[in-house]
Amino acid sequence: MIARHSRIVDRALTRLKLRQLRLLVAVGSHGNIQSAARELGVSQPAATKMIQDLELDFEVKLFDRTNRGVVPTVFGDTLIRHGKLIFAQVSNAAQELDDLNEGNSGRVVVGTLLAASTGLLPAAIDIVLTERPKVAIKINEGTNEVLMPALFSGEIDMVLGRLPSHRHRDKIKQEKLFEDRVLAVVGNQHPLAAKRSVSFERIKPYGWILPPLETTLRRQIDHFFVGQQQYHPPMAIESVSYLANRALLQTRDLISLMPAEVIAQDIGNGHLSKLDWIVPFGQGPIGISYRSDTSLSPAGQAFRQALHRAARER
């Protein structure tokens, strides 16, 4: 096994070409060799030969042929994933060199979930820009379903927010920053806004703003609703837009569940009200997910350290 591994690594270091990897990724994307060959400007026979050479060098079958084209095997999927990561790293290196050439001291791309986007993230950015004012920072907001694949492919450096409880954990490093809880939030005009010790029975007649189906919080909400005699809200709006949710709460008698970290400022400023109902689920760790220590540039390491400082000072 060790000899085979060493043999394949030696071949990859001496014979593997980026053009082969580009073709591999293109074939996986198009599902046929002809379209991939056209994209790279090579003949179909030449493209087929390049794929065959890759299979010989790595000693695995990369694609299964079907009536509709080709489908990556498990080995093909793995090599395509690593190929995308290599190209992402090349792009990141070029971008970082460009930033340095323009006078910026590095670049970091951060994916953020809603739970960390309003408090922790701005505080960390402030720390980094105070110490490294020329660092280029890019923020991508989304759900784990969107951000984690981008993290694996190298498009972003780290993901900040609720740490996934089981999915993805074997592929990434995680660092917990603090525990967050979920609050029920309403507009100030809501009939229950000023009520004390609200029961779920009093909540039932009102509509809800719910997170997407693929999120952990939504699964917890649905499980809770099932336990409440198969409760179905009279109205439900599915949204991850904080600005839209905020406006809806201020104009309609709806209820939303949000991380305490996210909603604290609007509650403190009197723009929204915390419903006096203890949410019986939703507590979880907020933290950083990233591929490995070596995957972070100096700017990425500085941002990671700033997140820890911001969490301690919050």
Side-chain angles (χ1 to χ4, degrees):
M1 182 66 70
I2 295 176
R4 180 175 181 272
H5 174 264
S6 298
R7 185 172 64 248
I8 292 174
V9 169
D10 183 63
R11 287 175 187 161
L13 292 176
T14 58
R15 297 169 55 175
L16 182 63
K17 298 179 177 63
L18 288 180
R19 190 172 182 80
Q20 288 176 296
L21 287 181
R22 284 184 61 200
L23 176 67
L24 180 73
V25 172
V27 173
S29 175
H30 290 288
N32 68 77
I33 295 177
Q34 184 177 6
S35 297
R38 189 181 305 116
E39 179 181 318
L40 267 69
V42 299
S43 67
Q44 184 170 344
T48 300
K49 178 66 164 56
M50 290 165 70
I51 295 296
Q52 290 172 345
D53 287 344
L54 280 174
E55 291 180 326
L56 287 172
D57 286 344
F58 285 95
E59 301 180 12
V60 293
K61 185 178 182 180
L62 297 174
F63 293 97
D64 288 321
R65 284 158 177 78
T66 69
N67 294 333
R68 296 185 178 181
V70 294
V71 178
T73 64
V74 63
F75 305 109
D77 275 331
T78 299
L79 196 54
I80 287 170
R81 174 166 53 83
H82 283 284
K84 289 179 178 179
L85 184 58
I86 289 170
F87 291 128
Q89 291 301 322
V90 171
S91 176
N92 290 344
Q95 182 65 65
E96 192 165 339
L97 290 173
D98 192 40
D99 291 335
L100 291 169
N101 191 47
E102 293 179 1
N104 297 327
S105 57
R107 178 182 180 86
V108 60
V109 183
V110 182
T112 180
L113 303 168
L114 179 63
S117 60
T118 60
L120 183 64
L121 181 60
I125 291 174
D126 184 62
I127 291 172
V128 170
L129 292 183
T130 298
E131 298 178 352
R132 296 176 174 230
K134 292 185 178 181
V135 166
I137 300 172
K138 181 179 179 182
I139 306 299
N140 291 344
E141 188 175 56
T143 64
N144 267 328
E145 301 300 318
V146 174
L147 296 178
M148 284 300 172
L151 178 65
F152 299 148
S153 67
E155 297 172 59
I156 58 180
D157 299 310
M158 66 186 74
V159 174
L160 175 63
R162 183 68 63 93
L163 295 177
S165 56
H166 49 86
R167 293 176 301 165
H168 314 301
R169 290 185 66 175
D170 58 332
K171 303 176 184 177
I172 56 176
K173 292 193 68 172
Q174 293 182 342
E175 294 177 355
K176 176 182 171 180
L177 298 175
F178 59 88
E179 283 282 329
D180 197 23
R181 58 196 177 96
V182 171
L183 302 179
V185 185
V186 296
N188 296 332
Q189 82 293 339
H190 196 288
L192 299 179
K195 302 297 183 183
R196 305 295 297 173
S197 301
V198 176
S199 66
F200 188 71
E201 287 298 318
R202 298 180 71 182
I203 291 175
K204 283 183 175 180
Y206 299 98
W208 289 74
I209 301 175
L210 299 173
L213 287 169
E214 65 269 16
T215 62
T216 299
L217 181 57
R218 176 61 180 275
R219 288 189 286 271
Q220 292 173 333
I221 293 170
D222 289 345
H223 181 75
F224 174 76
F225 284 172
V226 168
Q228 301 296 315
Q229 290 81 46
Q230 301 286 331
Y231 169 73
H232 290 281
M235 175 189 298
I237 299 170
E238 188 175 294
S239 169
V240 293
S241 170
Y242 180 76
L243 292 178
N245 295 353
R246 185 175 182 265
L248 285 167
L249 289 172
Q250 291 174 330
T251 57
R252 301 192 65 89
D253 293 341
L254 298 169
I255 299 168
S256 179
L257 297 179
M258 296 189 189
E261 176 78 7
V262 172
I263 204 64
Q265 187 172 356
D266 271 336
I267 291 177
N269 292 339
H271 299 310
L272 295 172
S273 295
K274 173 184 173 295
L275 192 64
D276 192 15
W277 173 60
I278 298 176
V279 181
F281 53 83
Q283 182 168 328
I286 302 297
I288 315 164
S289 301
Y290 56 101
R291 293 186 301 280
S292 67
D293 291 327
T294 57
S295 72
L296 294 177
S297 66
Q301 290 286 7
F303 201 93
R304 171 174 159 266
Q305 293 166 7
L307 285 167
H308 279 278
R309 282 179 54 187
R312 289 195 299 268
E313 294 168 5
R314 59 183 288 277

